[in-house]
Each structure stands twice: as C-alpha cells, then as structure tokens.
C-alpha cells in the first residue's frame, strides 16, 4: 500500500453536508476542519458539558474542572500534537500539500475538533452514569421493553457507551428538527478521528490487548454512517464480513493522547489544589516527570505553591507533547498498516511516574468519599429517570405516565409510526444522557415528589 495514497484518503474534506452548496465559505479564510471545530463549539450538547462531572461531581469550587474546561484543554493539546505531526507528515509526503492542498494546520484542526467533542456524549455523573444506564437495561424492570430487540441492540443499551452516544450526538438529526440527516454535518475525517473505538457493540472482544477493541464507538442506529465513513477514508477492516469493525484512523491516537495527558496531569492538579493530595507528595511527583535536578538552581522563586503547580503543569504538558509526537512518528508505518494498537502514553519515558499519579488520583481523588456518595446517588437518579421515561413511552394509557411524557422534550418522542422499540428506547436514552448533573438531579426530585417546582 502506498503511504501517500493512504494519507491522501485519510485526510478528506468530504462531509455529511446538510447545507446548500451555494452557502459554502471561502476555505482560504476558514478551512473545512476549522468549520468542524466551530460547529461543535456552537452546539447545545457542547455547552451542556459545563455542568457535567470531570473530577468532582457538582463542585462548589469554581476552580475545579468540568467536562467543558477539560475538553477545551484537551483540544489545545490536541491541536499542538496534530500540527507537529502534520508538519512531519507533509515533509515525508510532499504530494499531500502540492497536489491535495493539505496543510499542517489541517492536521491540528482535525485533532482539535475531535478532542473538543471527545466527551460530548457522556451522561451525567461521568462513568458512574454510564454504569447506571447499563444497569437499568440489565435489570428485570427493563426486560419487557427489550423483548423485540436484537442482541446487538440489547448490547448497545446493556453496555452503554458514552463514546457511541457522542458519535450519535455528532451525526444524528431528530426527525422533529429537520428533514436533512447528518447531525452537525462534520467531515468524515473529523468523525473518524473522534472514534477511538471503531466497532459496534458486538462482537465483544474479550481479553484483548488492543486498546481500540476494549469499547465500542457507535450504536446500531449509526453503524451505517460509520461504515460509509470508514470505506470513504480507506480504514483497514477488521472482523468478518458483515461486521462494522475497523482499525483506528491514525489521528485518533493523538486524540487519545491529548485526553490522557490532560486528565492525568490536570485532574491531579485539581486534587492538589482541593487538598485531596498531600502538597509535597504531589509536587515531588510532578517534578519527577520533568526529571529536574533537585540541586540545580532555578532563577524562579515561588511564594505560592499553587503557582508552582501551574508552572510545572505547563512545562510537563510541553514535554509530553514533544515526546508523544516523536513516538507517533516513529510508529507511523505500523499505525497505517494496523499493526500498532496501544495508547501512545504507554511509551512515554515518564510512564512509571504517570502510573504513580494515576494510582494516587484513583485512591485520593476519584474514590474520595464525597465523590463516591454523589456518584452512588447519581446511580439511583439515572435509573429512576430511565424507569419513569421508558414507562411514559411504552405505557401511555396511564394518566401518570402521560404526565411524565409531557416533561420530556417533544423531539425525543416524535417518531414515525414505523419506529422500532429500539429506536424509541434510544431516543429516551438520548434524553437522559443529555442532561447535566444538576438537571438530572432536579428532574428526579420533582417526579419523585422530593422537591416541588416553584410556582410563579
């Protein structure tokens, strides 16, 4: 396979276009991949990330990161990763620039856009929210509603995946909203770069060492879309005939790396500033990543340890960006051939220190008692909302259920008569997963009679 041909197909400006071509913009002013970035920024799903859990559920401190600030920071790191890699790729394959007019900035914009959206499908209460949705659909209560579903459709719900929900957010148009399909109408390349797990929920690949096979990236409702993207871009096929199962787009490795870098370092920074991680222990680990000589005299004097953390974080992220791009370029041919499938962060020279930071973060931050208590409450909240909403759709003869249905935005309920039970359930799951932490808790309290709405 010619590598130039491969990159030529992988970097494509084709999109699920939902606008009149006459309104297309001058690409010399705003490139196609920058348009992707802008569309994500202006989407309501992205805006809702400001009230979704990153480190601390429903934080009282205005310092703590939310999914929104995390996504913005990941996109900044991703843009740097993409541009550095893009510069080298264009030097290796000059025809990409000369004949296809692909620029260094295109690589950066693609990765930045995919990073910006990487958490856009996450439900309330973080990974605990995913577990709560899965648990509801595995419960006896849910089984009567799943009777007509295929095994793959059941797997979508019983192993609910925020990555697949994100792909749906980006590509699905509700019938009640518009007659044109394609969601945000992003380019195929950005959508493929977003998809870290380019497979459907089945088959389940057990005990795999390949990172791209550990989860799935799209529901049954969107697998035709992804198959179209994969074939257009020439992604390498996995699995047997009939399975929508592919190797990653190479730039998806950079999205994963940007996310890994940010949550490892910046979540740890949050833990330090919240007092959950001992100050000296945390600072020592950050200094170890830089491998600074403790006897080396510095021209800087910090009078506030919090400022030193910010300084260390900036230097660390710069170092990790540089090293990550070097690793990617060293493995470029293996990645293009589908022979490489491990997180780039695993090959960083400071991985032992990053592993210590990860272990400490799990123990002192993510498993901090208030976090666990809120996540446990969130588990009950999401299960209760799904139970109420599914009954409202499937048992409309009850006056109580009709009142519950009236609380659900109409576009989640308006489907053609030919809609399947799976499609109806997916729409309800869309609604619950789209809620912010506070909105989910507030709605649950109201429908359970724990809290009454204010009357104006």
């Amino acid at each position: 396979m010619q590598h130039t041909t491969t990159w030529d197909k992988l970097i494509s400006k084709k999109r699920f276009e939902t606008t009149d071509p006459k309104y297309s913009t001058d690409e010399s002013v705003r490139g196609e991949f920058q348009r992707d970035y802008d569309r994500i920024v202006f989407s309501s799903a992205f805006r809702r990330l400001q009230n979704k859990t990153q480190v601390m559920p429903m934080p009282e401190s205005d310092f703590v990161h939310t999914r929104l600030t995390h996504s913005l920071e990941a996109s900044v790191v991703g843009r740097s990763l993409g541009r550095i890699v893009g510069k080298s790729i264009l030097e290796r394959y000059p025809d990409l620039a000369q004949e296809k007019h692909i620029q260094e900035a295109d690589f950066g914009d693609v990765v930045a856009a995919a990073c910006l959206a990487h958490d856009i499908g996450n439900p309330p209460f973080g990974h605990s929210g995913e577990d709560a949705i899965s648990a509801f659909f595995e419960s006896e209560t849910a089984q009567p509603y799943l009777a007509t579903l295929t095994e793959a459709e059941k797997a979508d719900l019983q192993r609910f995946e925020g990555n697949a929900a994100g792909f749906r957010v980006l590509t699905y148009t509700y019938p009640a909203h518009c007659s044109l399909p394609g969601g945000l109408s992003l380019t195929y390349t950005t959508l493929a770069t977003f998809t870290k797990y380019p497979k459907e929920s089945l088959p389940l690949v057990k005990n795999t060492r390949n990172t791209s096979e550990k989860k799935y990236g799209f529901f049954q409702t969107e697998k035709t879309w992804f198959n179209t993207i994969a074939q257009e871009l020439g992604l390498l096929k996995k699995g047997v005939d009939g399975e929508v199962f592919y190797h990653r787009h190479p730039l998806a490795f950079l999205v994963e790396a940007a996310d890994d870098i940010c949550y490892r370092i910046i979540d740890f920074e949050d833990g330090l500033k919240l007092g959950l991680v001992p100050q000296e222990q945390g600072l020592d680990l950050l200094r170890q990543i830089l491998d600074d000589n403790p006897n080396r005299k510095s021209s800087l004097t910090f009078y506030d340890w919090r400022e030193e953390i910010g300084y260390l974080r900036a230097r660390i992220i710069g170092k990790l960006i540089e090293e990550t791009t070097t690793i990617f370029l060293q493995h470029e041919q293996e990645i293009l051939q589908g022979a490489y499938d491990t997180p780039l962060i695993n090959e960083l020279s400071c991985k032992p220190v990053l592993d210590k930071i990860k272990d400490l973060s799990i123990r002192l931050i993510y498993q901090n008692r208030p976090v666990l208590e809120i996540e446990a409450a969130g588990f009950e909240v999401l299960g209760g909302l799904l139970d109420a909403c599914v009954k409202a759709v499937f048992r409309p003869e009850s006056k109580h259920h009709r009142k519950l249905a009236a609380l659900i935005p109409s576009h989640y309920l308006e489907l053609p008569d030919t809609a399947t039970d799976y499609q109806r359930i997916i729409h309800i799951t869309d609604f619950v997963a789209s809620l912010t932490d506070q909105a989910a808790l507030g709605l649950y309290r109201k429908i359970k009679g724990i809290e009454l709405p204010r009357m104006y």
Side-chain angles (χ1 to χ4, degrees), residues 265 268-269 272 277-295 305 308-309 312-313 315-316 319 350 352-354 356-357 360:
I265 302 303
F268 191 66
E269 178 186 2
L272 270 165
V277 177
Q279 175 188 330
E280 283 305 318
Q281 184 181 13
L283 284 170
D284 179 63
L285 286 170
L286 294 176
R287 294 183 189 118
Q288 286 181 43
I289 294 177
L290 293 171
D291 197 25
D292 281 348
N293 184 345
N295 298 317
W305 63 271
E308 183 180 2
I309 291 175
L312 291 172
R313 177 240 303 144
R315 287 186 59 201
I316 287 167
K319 174 183 177 176
C350 61
V353 184
L354 290 176
K356 290 180 182 178
I357 286 176
L360 201 61

Side-chain angles (χ1 to χ4, degrees), residues 44-58:
S44 58
F46 180 72
R47 186 167 61 250
R48 284 193 292 270
L49 292 177
Q50 66 185 313
N51 285 317
K52 289 197 176 186
T53 298
Q54 173 61 23
V55 180
M56 298 291 291
M58 296 185 290

Side-chain angles (χ1 to χ4, degrees), residues 133-184:
I133 293 172
S134 301
F136 171 75
F137 287 112
E138 288 178 328
S139 69
E140 291 185 14
T141 302
Q143 297 318 300
Y145 309 110
L146 308 183
T148 65
L149 275 59
T150 67
E151 290 304 309
E153 290 169 346
K154 289 178 184 178
D156 285 355
L157 300 169
Q158 294 174 342
R159 292 177 47 239
F160 182 83
E161 179 55 56
N163 290 282
F167 189 83
R168 180 170 168 83
V169 167
L170 299 178
T171 60
Y172 182 68
T173 302
Y174 289 94
H177 280 171
C178 183
S179 62
L180 293 171
L184 298 186

Side-chain angles (χ1 to χ4, degrees), residues 13 102 157 201 265 421:
K13 296 172 183 177
I102 296 172
L157 300 169
S201 55
I265 302 303
D421 289 349

Side-chain angles (χ1 to χ4, degrees), residues 25 73 90-91 118 132 137 139 206 224 336 353 372 390 403 415 446:
T25 58
E73 289 166 343
L90 292 175
E91 288 171 353
H118 80 280
F137 287 112
S139 69
K206 296 182 179 180
T224 299
L336 290 172
V353 184
L372 295 177
V390 168
K403 290 180 179 179
L415 281 164
K446 290 179 177 69

Side-chain angles (χ1 to χ4, degrees), residues 55 63-65 265-275 365:
V55 180
F63 168 79
V64 176
H65 288 81
I265 302 303
I266 300 174
D267 285 8
F268 191 66
E269 178 186 2
D270 278 1
L272 270 165
K273 291 188 175 180
L274 287 170
I365 303 173

